[in-house]
């Protein structure tokens, strides 16, 4: 994140101190990186619907934003307590002195694919095409840039078309853009609506060691609210474990949250949980994966400052959660 964004967030900071009456659950202001909650972020909805937040003695107010960049700004500025974002803007804000620390993961593997019409058969065929992105530096633009770089192309070889995350499919169907990075439920929906669309690149296959979705806070907030962070992460881990063990109970909750039909959500479920296991059930903060991701950011010139050290991640709260709930083992998907 450029330094001016961090400074702007600090200048616009507003106090997020809770005004809850005595005895009421602690209220967390949580920012999500999509205008409409995606399957990748649906753990929050599951935790709420099943009463896991209530069991932990907290409540969560969700604010849906259009990418991880404004989520990072909100956490740095203090209008959000906890943020959920792909890791790139978190790392860049950390490098610029934003005081951020990762405490958990909503999906530690990539959940997206780059989708195009079938006439685009290889990434090299993207040259001269109109590619949908949110904003430069946001997650989907970063993923698009990785595909371009792998094909020895640059953003100058294509035309970026600013596209809202919830409008990618309609823009593809209308031909306004010829490429978009879609979440798995969006992939299933797009292909159902137009059989000419196909997955050009499954980003998880290209970058299997890439760390995707982080829950993060400021160090100052964590110092004063560590117990609240543990409660939040306890509910999230319980939600992840439920999602694996009860497919039929999960589908209607996610369908309502995302706005997609249960059949589409079911197709996405079978990929995200059945095949890939993108949601961690233990700490989900593999140091090797995070280090590999930072190196990839450097390779693709996504990192805007010095590479972070060990202070990027605080495993204390999630370690407490796993210690209390017990570790899940015996399945290759369990992390």
């Amino acid at each position: 994140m450029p330094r001016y964004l961090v400074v702007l967030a600090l200048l616009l900071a507003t106090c997020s101190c809770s005004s809850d009456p005595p005895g009421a659950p602690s209220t967390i202001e949580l920012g999500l990186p999509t205008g409409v909650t995606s399957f990748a972020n649906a753990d929050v909805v599951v935790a709420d619907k099943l009463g896991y937040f209530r069991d932990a003695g907290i409540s969560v107010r969700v604010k849906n934003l259009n990418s991880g960049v404004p989520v990072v700004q909100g956490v740095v500025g203090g209008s959000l307590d906890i943020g959920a974002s792909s890791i790139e803007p978190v790392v860049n804000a950390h490098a610029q002195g934003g005081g951020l620390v990762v405490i958990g993961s909503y999906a530690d593997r990539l959940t997206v694919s780059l989708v195009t019409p079938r006439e685009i058969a290889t990434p090299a065929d993207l040259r001269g095409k109109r590619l949908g992105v949110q904003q430069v530096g946001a997650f989907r633009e970063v993923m698009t840039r990785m595909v371009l770089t792998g094909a020895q192309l640059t953003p100058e070889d294509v035309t970026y078309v600013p596209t809202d995350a919830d409008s990618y499919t309609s823009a593809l169907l209308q031909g306004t853009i010829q490429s978009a990075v879609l979440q798995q439920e969006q992939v299933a929906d797009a292909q159902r609506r137009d059989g000419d669309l196909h997955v050009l690149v499954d980003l998880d296959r290209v970058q299997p060691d890439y760390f995707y979705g982080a829950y993060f806070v400021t160090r100052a907030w964590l110092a004063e609210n560590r117990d609240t962070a543990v409660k939040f992460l306890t509910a999230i881990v319980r939600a992840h474990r439920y999602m694996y063990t009860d497919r039929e109970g999960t589908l209607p909750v996610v369908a309502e949250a995302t706005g997609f039909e249960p059949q589409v959500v079911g197709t996405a479920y079978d990929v995200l949980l059945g095949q890939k296991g993108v949601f961690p059930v233990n700490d989900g903060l593999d140091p090797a994966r995070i280090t590999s991701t930072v190196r990839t950011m450097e390779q693709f010139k996504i990192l805007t400052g010095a590479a972070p050290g060990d202070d990027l991640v605080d495993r204390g709260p999630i370690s407490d959660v796993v210690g209390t709930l017990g570790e899940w083992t015996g399945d290759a998907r369990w992390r």
Side-chain angles (χ1 to χ4, degrees):
M1 171 186 285
R3 185 178 297 275
Y4 77 88
L5 290 178
V6 176
V7 173
L8 177 61
L10 290 169
L11 290 174
L12 296 177
T14 58
C15 178
S16 61
C17 301
S18 173
S19 59
D20 296 324
S26 299
T27 299
I28 293 171
E29 304 290 342
L30 172 70
L32 298 185
T34 54
V36 176
T37 301
S38 68
F39 200 144
N41 293 122
D43 52 1
V44 174
V45 182
V46 172
D48 186 49
K49 290 287 187 181
L50 271 65
Y52 295 155
F53 289 137
R54 183 181 62 249
D55 292 348
I58 59 174
S59 62
V60 176
R61 283 197 292 253
V62 173
K63 184 172 184 179
N64 287 88
L65 301 171
N66 63 5
S67 78
V69 174
V71 176
V72 166
Q73 292 172 351
V75 173
V76 171
S79 60
L80 298 172
D81 299 314
I82 299 177
S85 170
S86 62
I87 197 170
E88 306 84 22
V90 181
V91 171
N92 284 332
H94 179 279
Q96 296 294 335
L100 299 181
V101 60
V102 173
I103 60 170
S105 174
Y106 54 87
D108 65 343
R109 299 179 66 102
L110 289 170
T111 61
V112 295
S113 297
L114 189 140
V115 174
T116 67
R118 291 187 184 278
E119 66 188 42
I120 300 175
T122 70
D125 296 335
L126 293 169
R127 183 185 297 273
K129 299 299 191 294
R130 295 167 60 84
L131 313 187
V133 299
Q134 289 161 283
Q135 62 193 101
V136 174
F139 172 66
R140 302 196 197 213
E141 189 273 333
V142 168
M143 294 295 106
T144 299
R145 205 185 325 161
M146 285 184 179
V147 174
L148 293 175
T149 301
Q152 298 185 327
L153 299 174
T154 71
E156 287 69 36
D157 294 315
V158 300
T159 299
Y160 275 172
V161 179
T163 309
D164 183 80
D166 303 316
S167 302
Y168 281 122
T169 300
S170 59
L172 279 171
L173 294 173
Q174 295 165 9
T176 306
I177 59 176
Q178 286 82 50
S179 165
V181 173
L182 302 183
Q183 291 286 350
Q184 193 59 49
E185 66 273 19
Q186 293 175 312
V187 174
D189 178 63
Q191 292 182 313
R192 181 180 63 86
R193 295 167 65 181
D194 185 347
D196 184 54
L197 295 175
H198 75 134
V199 171
L200 182 69
V201 179
D202 178 343
L203 272 301
D204 181 54
R205 290 183 181 274
V206 174
Q207 296 287 346
D209 296 324
Y210 200 90
F211 181 91
Y212 170 37
Y215 283 118
F216 61 97
V217 297
T218 64
R219 284 200 171 275
W221 185 89
L222 184 60
E224 296 183 0
N225 300 276
R226 190 181 187 284
D227 185 57
T228 300
V230 170
K231 291 177 179 179
F232 173 79
L233 292 172
T234 297
I236 292 299
V237 172
R238 290 184 68 193
H240 288 172
R241 294 180 177 188
Y242 171 84
M243 292 164 73
Y244 282 104
T245 56
D246 194 335
R247 180 182 188 275
E248 297 310 309
T250 298
L251 295 190
V253 176
V254 176
E256 181 181 0
T258 62
F260 288 100
E261 296 180 2
Q263 181 180 359
V264 169
V265 173
T267 299
Y269 179 102
D270 293 340
V271 173
L272 295 177
L273 289 99
Q275 297 176 21
K276 297 185 176 183
V278 302
F279 299 101
V281 299
N282 295 311
D283 70 35
L285 296 175
D286 178 16
R289 179 178 290 272
I290 294 173
T291 298
S292 174
T293 302
V294 173
R295 288 174 180 166
T296 300
M297 290 178 63
E298 290 180 298
Q299 174 188 350
F300 288 96
K301 302 187 187 311
I302 298 164
L303 187 63
T304 60
D310 294 339
D311 61 341
L312 174 65
V313 178
D314 187 330
R315 291 179 177 80
I318 192 66
S319 295
D320 287 353
V321 172
V322 177
T324 299
L325 296 180
E327 185 178 12
W328 272 22
T329 60
D331 191 306
R333 295 173 297 173
W334 302 158
R335 299 178 302 284

